[in-house]
Amino acid sequence: MAAQRTNTPRPLSSSHSPYRITPLSAFLAIIGVYSVGTVVWQTLHLGAGGGSTHVSDVLTQTKDAFIRPGSNNGRTSVANDGSWMATSTIDGDNADSGGGVLDSVLGSFSIMAASGGDPHSNDSVTGSIIPINLSVNYLQVIDKAPGAPPEPIMSQSATSARVAEDFLPMVSPDEVVFRWAFQARKGANHKDTQEISAYRIIVRQFGNPSNVAWDTNKVNVPVMPDSVSWGSVTQPVAGHIYEWKVFVWDAAGASSSSSWKKFAVGPQSSEAWEGKWIVHPDDMDTFDNAKQGSKDECKLWKMRRPLPIFRGRISSDKISGVKEIASALLVVSGLGSFRASFDGVPLSTSGPIDPPFTDYSKRVMYRGFDLTPFFQNGGGQADHTIGVTMGSGWWDHRPVSGMAKPKLLPRGPQTTIAQVIITDKSGHTHVIGQSGSGNDWQVTRGHIRESDLFTGEIVDLKRHEDLDGWDTPAHQQLKENSKIVWTTPVEYRTDVTAQRRHDALAKRAGAYRDEDNRGPVWEEIKGYAAPIGRLEPSDIPPILPMERIEPEEVRSLTNGRWLVDFGKSVSGTLYFSEGLAEPIVKDTYPRAHGYAGTEDGESFFTVVYGESLDMTTGDINRVLVAGMGLHDGGPRHVSASEGAQDNTPCFPNDHDHILTQRDVYVYSGEAKHRFATARQSHFTTHAFRFAEVCCIATPPSGVYALAYRTAMLEWGSFDSSNVLLNGGYELVKNAMKSNLLSVQSDCPHREKLPYGGDLVASSPAAMHMFDMSAFYRKTIRDWIDGQWKSGAYTETSIWQDLNDYAGIGKGAGETVWASAPPVLTVRHMQHYADKDLLSETLSGHIRWLTFLNKEFDRGLEQRGYDKELKGYEGDGTGLSDWLALRTKDTWLTHTAFYMASARAVAYIARKLESDVHEKKGMSLAKSLESKISSFYSKKPDWDFPEGHGYATPGPELGLFTRIVPADKRCAVLKNWFKRPGSVWPGDEERLFLNEVDEEDLEDMVRTGELVRESDGKLYMGWSQWQGFNEGILAMRYSLKTLSEFGFHNVALRKATGIGFGTPEYMLRHNATTMWESWWRSEDLYSRNHPMLGAMAEWMSSSAAGVSHYPTTTGGRTILFWPRFPRSAKTLEYASATQGTAKGDYSIAWRFEDLPSDKEYTSGVATIRVRFVVPPGGEGVYRPPFAIVRNKVTLAHAEVVPDMIGARNAARDECTRRRNNREGFPYSWEYDRSKEKWYKLESSKRIGTPCESFLFHKSIDQTQWGPEDDISEAFSVREDKKVGPGLYEVLIREWPLQEEVKGSGRIGNIPEYYNSKNMGSYCSDTSTAEWDIDDATHII
């Protein structure tokens, strides 16, 4: 994320102004302040709970008294002669600006009042609260991606001008919403940070800072709104680039401001574009059935290769009439993917999937680029060239289908649309360079022979060389030759409407209604180019290189093949900063390194990517990362037979029967340093830790990995003293980063698809780690776009015909998966308080609920479920708690998520004050709760009406979601502890035990990892209470329920267990990302899969103790609830930071004064807890379950310490520890020569314990205020509310105890199920019912 800077603004009224304040103007201004202030106060007071404020809606009520519409592009001016008008001066980054009108008069007096009347006093610009993280429509400017590679080699004819940012937020004129967070200034007084009393937003025209487009003036507020919308008094102008800043006032009336931040406004709609979608004419012809006849789609796809490049010429005469250029904005998009350049200069480091993945027949996003530097210093009188390089993306991929079915996605030839909007200093706009027929655009075949998200990219370096300067004004001087022929593009055309396409898909999915039965069939339209949807500004950040990673090791695989190990798995590509050496030409190439597309005189170089190594060959395991799961089983052919892909249409014939992640660099002809210009592939990403480079005589130099993901802010963290907790957290975060490429995918190689179940399971972890505000808003909109007419939601946001058998029919996805949109909407509200999103989506969620109400019971009966569940023993039709080790209770999850959808509608309706829908949703939810409870509470152990009662999810779901009746909660909790584990007979685990020395086996028996059965054989065992057996859903329910109900020690033991079914098991097998399954797979299940990632959010919320308060919205209130282990042997310290829309909340705790015996099972210790609440936020501190009768105190820091300095120092210390490899200490390796597994003691970075910045020595020196004795409140577990600040809790003489042991690793816990006292929480009836405002426990 771009670093935020804080400017010290000069006063908004200055004695240097040519318009000085006169007594008359002062009098009129005071009247204005009173009038507007009264309306502002009344309006905001009535909505004092926060929410979104349309400031101009407030101002409009009084504006007629003293302003009239102005003529300067929507600005306003005082309805008097300008001789008395005060002009505010606003300190910008580079220039001052003349102030506005209403804004300047009111603003000047506001500032003076705030600073005691002296506009030059330091108090007016050094307030205790700093606005940070400014966003427009959730989007922040990104100056430069943190992992951006060096600037590429550019043509000598390229200009020296550069764009100022990697990402410029784009918005539509009708939706401009400002948001920002807060940070306390170092050295600020605690009391001054307790209240944000006012704010002011100023928006000015970029390039003409004297033109203030909008000014809210100082708005006094009792509670800061969650957002401020640019309202109806003025309207932003399409084509303008703006910059804005915000001032905030603290409790003492002192102000601070942000720095200026930019955003741009694009065309209002697709119809407002002057540019047109254009295509290479030959490519458009491949979708003309009359011309192509019976050619199959693979042949037609190959005819569209190499991929096209487009260029548009802007002659100087198009600009000559524009006087005093203020700004220039390029708006551009392209399908499949595109990279834009201007005058030979790339405009961003983004690329792999741009525009973001959506249903392109419904909506397509475009980017905006600030071209102003190119039109300065004489650029306004010169020729210019727009360049657009194309990739395939999700639009024109290789026509292969497997586990993913991209053939069902919208499809067409590569196409682009672009135009430049020049704004002069008077505010008028001029459109030039628009794409379309007769508009000076050309197209030719580029240097990318092939680009595919699953199979990689083929780059023609000679063609790239021949095209030098193609996107510069000097392109007319390029030598014409037979290989480079420019032609005029044609406009995109199709005979298929979006509705016809949607109806055909619905018919194929069985989602049509009776009245739609006569609609088109899929076969009638699949050969046509798909319609292109509406154009919208990109509503999420682009996919950018977020990290550059150097190799940890490069080793030879012999014969010119080199294995590069980057130490952790990422999603991205290799970057060769020094180019490539001359390749070795071989008669026979190693597996997957041959290239069938070579012509005479061509040499090539290949890169193969993968997450892990094949245990039988030592090179990359390509099967585990095979695109769409298309492979022949690899060397062992266990999961597929040899030749399994021989008849797969369009399967690459040089991938050796496995759809391989691979890039190829080709050069035709003889030349020195032929491969020296090779750098990277651009329109694909690969999931890899390892890369094979072939074939060169010496190891590759200057190579590193570029890790790509959608560039949202990473704002959550967790650290502790326990290597296994830290390691598990890192596994999840690394997997999450790899799977956030415009959609949250299941895995970054095999399918790359957004599955609803994965989102339901892991979105709490994602929202802890990242600012998902824009990303999840887009995700919800994607599902709304894909909703069938019947109201049914699909399993993936874009229907893929994958697991519909598991749902209730009529096109609905499996109920858990299809319920993602309403559940995610509720979670979005809890975190970001976006009521506009609630209004936008409620009707779709009601349609889904109506569909369920009509079809659910019938659908389950057709799937074989008895109405009374007679004979049901779990594991019916459905996906349920996917990849659990137990039997899955499919009926329970179907019904519980139906209930969750009803709860979501009730929750949303309540926020929107829609009483009718609130009551209907709540009534339906209650009836479903009762139905579940009536079936499952017939026996005390949450059993089926018939059956064994050991399926998943079970009691943990009922307890967490508040379904279990209050009078049965303790009994259900007690009986849950009766559940044992079991043995696991999996193939790879059995093979492992056959190939381990006897001594190692006995060690694992002693640790409990192995179980000796009555037949004398050893098995790996999975544990209920010392590891995990749960799938993607019940993992969250079990951990959160245990910690919430007073059994946090058991939750800790599950998360820190060893052996099969634990994160430790993955770590011992060199995992750096979360696996798809608890078992080890060498040929099927992904090793980069965040769906089992719920434990990461539990770590921050329970092990450390910071989470969103269940009923909060917008992250306004955060719960600090650290739960401590009985014994410090498990965990000595933990910390976490939770970013929110208000700012960062952090917590850290540690044991102090521990006994010297290191067992920590007796005696007492001190626990010190520190936590931070940002300005504008609220904290609730909740005591742990143990009743402590000794003194407990709470104190706050009198002065805000240097927390940024402490954070940086702690980060540096953590980096030192990681570089020293103080993390996970061993791994199991396979010796291929001996065919034996052995344990290697070898410490790693992953899992390294790091201490919080809150315990840095600089924080220790903080001046603390008086200690507040909270012992009594602590003893009765009473919540303590606190305002902004740094706090410290001291718990003295905490009793250390031995942990409850239970009956063994695969046993249960008799100590609990035989206990008469299950603690106070399960019997607390006040927490038994689900609260309609509770977003945490909705499901």
Side-chain angles (χ1 to χ4, degrees), residues 501-515:
R501 185 180 186 280
H502 184 81
D503 290 346
L505 280 174
K507 191 166 186 177
R508 176 172 173 139
Y512 55 83
R513 300 171 301 181
D514 292 340
E515 59 266 33

Side-chain angles (χ1 to χ4, degrees), residues 47-52 182 196 222-227 829-833 1107-1109 1111-1119 1140-1143 1145 1173-1180 1282 1284:
S52 176
F182 304 97
I196 302 170
V223 176
M224 275 299 298
D226 296 302
S227 61
M829 183 65 188
Q830 182 187 31
H831 283 251
Y832 312 116
S1107 63
H1108 282 69
Y1109 196 80
T1111 58
T1112 193
T1113 59
R1116 190 176 292 275
T1117 304
I1118 291 295
L1119 176 64
T1140 74
K1142 298 293 174 283
Y1145 294 77
V1173 179
E1178 178 185 59
V1180 173
V1282 296

Side-chain angles (χ1 to χ4, degrees), residues 918-1033:
E918 177 188 335
K919 290 175 181 177
K920 285 183 177 180
M922 201 62 185
S923 174
L924 179 57
K926 285 287 186 184
S927 68
L928 290 166
E929 284 181 38
S930 299
K931 185 175 184 178
I932 295 170
S933 182
S934 66
F935 280 148
Y936 284 73
S937 297
K938 292 178 179 178
K939 296 181 181 180
D941 57 356
W942 192 260
D943 200 354
F944 302 119
E946 300 176 17
H948 47 69
Y950 285 114
T952 180
E956 63 272 66
L957 183 149
L959 292 166
F960 180 78
T961 59
R962 306 335 191 217
I963 297 176
V964 176
D967 61 343
K968 296 189 177 182
R969 290 208 303 177
C970 291
V972 170
L973 181 63
K974 178 184 291 189
N975 282 288
W976 185 26
F977 288 115
K978 292 180 179 179
R979 288 192 168 197
S982 186
V983 296
W984 177 254
D987 292 341
E988 295 297 343
E989 283 69 35
R990 188 182 68 253
L991 291 170
F992 175 90
L993 296 179
N994 292 337
E995 297 173 336
V996 175
D997 287 338
E998 191 65 31
E999 183 179 347
D1000 290 325
L1001 291 173
E1002 290 303 320
D1003 284 341
M1004 287 187 277
V1005 171
R1006 282 192 293 272
T1007 61
E1009 299 171 53
L1010 299 183
V1011 177
R1012 196 180 301 276
E1013 291 286 86
S1014 57
D1015 59 5
K1017 292 182 180 180
L1018 291 175
Y1019 293 89
M1020 289 189 182
W1022 55 263
S1023 177
Q1024 171 65 41
W1025 306 112
Q1026 297 182 32
F1028 293 105
N1029 65 89
E1030 297 87 352
I1032 66 174
L1033 304 175

Side-chain angles (χ1 to χ4, degrees), residues 604-647:
F604 64 91
F605 183 102
T606 52
V607 183
V608 170
Y609 300 82
E611 294 173 341
S612 60
L613 302 181
D614 191 298
M615 56 181 290
T616 62
T617 62
D619 55 9
I620 283 177
N621 184 333
R622 295 182 296 129
V623 170
L624 273 181
V625 294
M628 292 173 270
L630 298 174
H631 60 80
D632 67 349
R636 295 193 298 170
H637 300 295
V638 173
S639 58
S641 60
E642 188 171 2
Q645 303 305 327
D646 287 353
N647 297 316

